[in-house]
Amino acid sequence: KIKTLTMANNLDELRSKVESLAQKITNLKKETPVNKNAIGAAVKELLDAKRTFAENNGGIGVDEKPFEEPLSKAEKKKRAKAEKSAAVKVDASGKQEADPNSSGAAKKAAKKAEAKAKKAALKTAAKGEGGAAATGKPLQVKATTGAKSTPKRMVIPSRSNLQAMNISINPNAPLTERPVAALTVACLTNTINDYSVTSDHKRYSGAALGLPDGRGELVGDSSIARYIARKSDSLVGGNLIGADFELSAIIDSWVDYANALSKFQNIKRVKAVAQTLDRTLKEKTYLVGHTMTLADIALFASLGFPAQAADVAKVESILGTSSSPTVRWMKMIRACPAVREATQIAMGIANDYEAIFDANVSMDPFV
């Protein structure tokens, strides 16, 4: 267990190093005159850090995809040329024919099959509606009783292998890319036992929730969180996403803002959140209304979901330990029992890691 925790800490350090080097390269490119030697050295160091991360993470890179060595311009050009020539064949008449194994040909064939199926369905419908008129026979209408007929429920077929109410998480993903907001909402609405959480190393598209009746799956922390809040059909769930359409729209705008910040690196993202919260929370406890909402949870996730002591230290190293509105709000949110329970669940999916919220203090084991 100590070895596993040490490896996780090393990966976190390597991830931070990669982010720091990427920021360094960005700053070097902004300088005038541009120091190409310094940029080249920084790029080489960044590549070495990414390679080391992948070697220690089973071949998976910082972007949670299989790591590949970068190609030179000549190699990229050669590969593109080879792919283009492989996708096209020339027949005896001189016409170009798409290779059926290429992705473009597969998409074209799928569209063609779909159009053909639609055309056949329209023909069948036309025969059913026009058959009586063509034969001169009156249409027969079944007599109905006073009871109302119940429409059949349409089931949308899906390729998802997820079972209903199952939340799938990639254990190699960092905490901020796990469904921490959704798990927090489930804990707050006391519906966490309605869902199962499983580990899936092959999932690269983020966390997902299997829907009932074969209706597919929801992908994305915010989408899953809204679904859980609505499905709970409780006062707490309603308050989390907005009791009326105006509050709901305001909360959604905060969630959209938090999601937009995900494209930035950690340091820049934390500073941006702090600038916004310091202005907004001068005379307020929560972002919207007088209780915690999905807006607070989403912005807390943008800070790195600092419920654990080590994550709090990272945020304070960027913002300082002053009693600013952002730091006060962060400490209040992390003290919420539901936030800590969600953190423990999200961390425990990876090799039974134990979340550490305070020095030398552990949570009680879950039943």
Side-chain angles (χ1 to χ4, degrees):
K1 185 174 181 181
I2 294 172
K3 184 178 179 181
T4 307
L5 291 172
T6 303
M7 186 179 295
N9 291 334
N10 290 339
L11 288 178
D12 288 338
E13 291 175 4
L14 286 170
R15 192 187 301 277
S16 299
K17 184 177 180 180
V18 168
E19 292 178 354
S20 177
L21 286 170
Q23 185 63 43
K24 179 181 177 181
I25 292 171
T26 302
N27 295 335
L28 286 172
K29 288 181 178 180
K30 292 179 181 179
E31 293 180 356
T32 50
V34 176
N35 189 339
K36 293 185 178 180
N37 292 332
I39 292 175
V43 169
K44 184 178 182 303
E45 190 178 355
L46 175 61
L47 178 58
D48 290 340
K50 287 184 176 181
R51 188 183 297 110
T52 304
F53 183 93
E55 290 172 353
N56 286 275
N57 195 32
I60 303 299
V62 179
D63 58 355
E64 303 305 327
K65 296 179 181 178
F67 177 77
E68 293 182 359
E69 291 289 343
L71 301 176
S72 64
K73 289 184 179 179
E75 289 172 331
K76 288 180 181 177
K77 190 174 180 181
K78 186 177 180 181
R79 176 186 282 187
K81 188 175 180 181
E83 289 176 351
K84 187 176 180 181
S85 61
V88 177
K89 292 181 179 178
V90 181
D91 61 14
S93 61
K95 294 181 180 179
Q96 289 186 339
E97 184 183 44
D99 183 355
N101 294 323
S102 68
S103 59
K107 290 180 181 178
K108 189 174 180 180
K111 286 184 179 180
K112 191 174 180 180
E114 185 181 357
K116 190 175 180 180
K118 285 183 179 179
K119 189 175 180 181
L122 288 173
K123 274 187 177 181
T124 304
K127 284 182 181 179
E129 293 175 0
T135 57
K137 295 179 180 179
L139 290 171
Q140 293 183 357
V141 181
K142 291 182 179 180
T144 58
T145 61
K148 293 183 179 179
S149 60
T150 304
K152 290 184 177 180
R153 187 174 183 181
M154 181 180 291
V155 176
I156 303 172
S158 169
R159 296 179 181 176
S160 174
N161 295 323
L162 274 180
Q163 294 182 356
M165 302 295 102
N166 176 253
I167 301 174
S168 177
I169 303 175
N170 184 345
N172 292 322
L175 180 64
T176 51
E177 293 180 20
R178 300 179 193 181
V180 284
L183 292 173
T184 301
V185 170
C187 293
L188 284 169
T189 56
N190 201 27
T191 58
I192 189 63
N193 290 331
D194 296 341
Y195 303 88
S196 59
V197 183
T198 57
S199 171
D200 185 358
H201 292 263
K202 296 180 180 180
R203 177 166 292 279
Y204 296 125
S205 57
L209 169 68
L211 297 175
D213 299 328
R215 288 176 170 265
E217 62 183 44
L218 283 178
V219 178
D221 194 11
S222 301
S223 300
I224 299 172
R226 289 189 182 99
Y227 176 86
I228 292 173
R230 292 191 180 103
K231 187 174 176 60
S232 70
D233 194 25
S234 62
L235 179 62
V236 175
N239 289 335
L240 282 169
I241 56 177
D244 57 54
F245 71 92
E246 288 181 351
L247 285 175
S248 180
I250 295 171
I251 292 170
D252 284 346
S253 68
W254 278 109
V255 175
D256 290 342
Y257 169 66
N259 291 337
L261 291 173
S262 62
K263 67 181 70 173
F264 298 115
Q265 294 181 6
N266 185 53
I267 296 175
K268 188 174 182 180
R269 185 172 65 248
V270 169
K271 288 182 177 179
V273 172
Q275 287 179 358
T276 302
L277 294 182
D278 283 345
R279 292 194 302 268
T280 307
L281 298 174
K282 276 186 177 179
E283 299 178 355
K284 296 171 65 177
T285 303
Y286 299 99
L287 288 170
V288 182
H290 303 290
T291 58
M292 185 190 299
T293 65
L294 188 56
D296 296 284
I297 300 169
L299 264 293
F300 188 70
S302 291
L303 281 179
F305 212 79
Q308 298 183 87
D311 295 326
V312 173
K314 288 179 183 178
V315 174
E316 290 182 339
S317 68
I318 299 171
L319 302 180
T321 57
S322 61
S323 57
S324 65
T326 299
V327 174
R328 170 186 57 78
W329 172 86
M330 175 187 70
K331 291 181 177 179
M332 177 188 67
I333 298 297
R334 76 177 290 262
C336 174
V339 171
R340 296 196 170 197
E341 184 178 353
T343 304
Q344 180 63 66
I345 296 171
M347 290 293 295
I349 199 65
N351 299 322
D352 295 326
Y353 287 149
E354 184 178 350
I356 301 174
F357 301 103
D358 298 294
N360 302 319
V361 177
S362 300
M363 286 189 68
D364 293 332
F366 289 123
V367 177

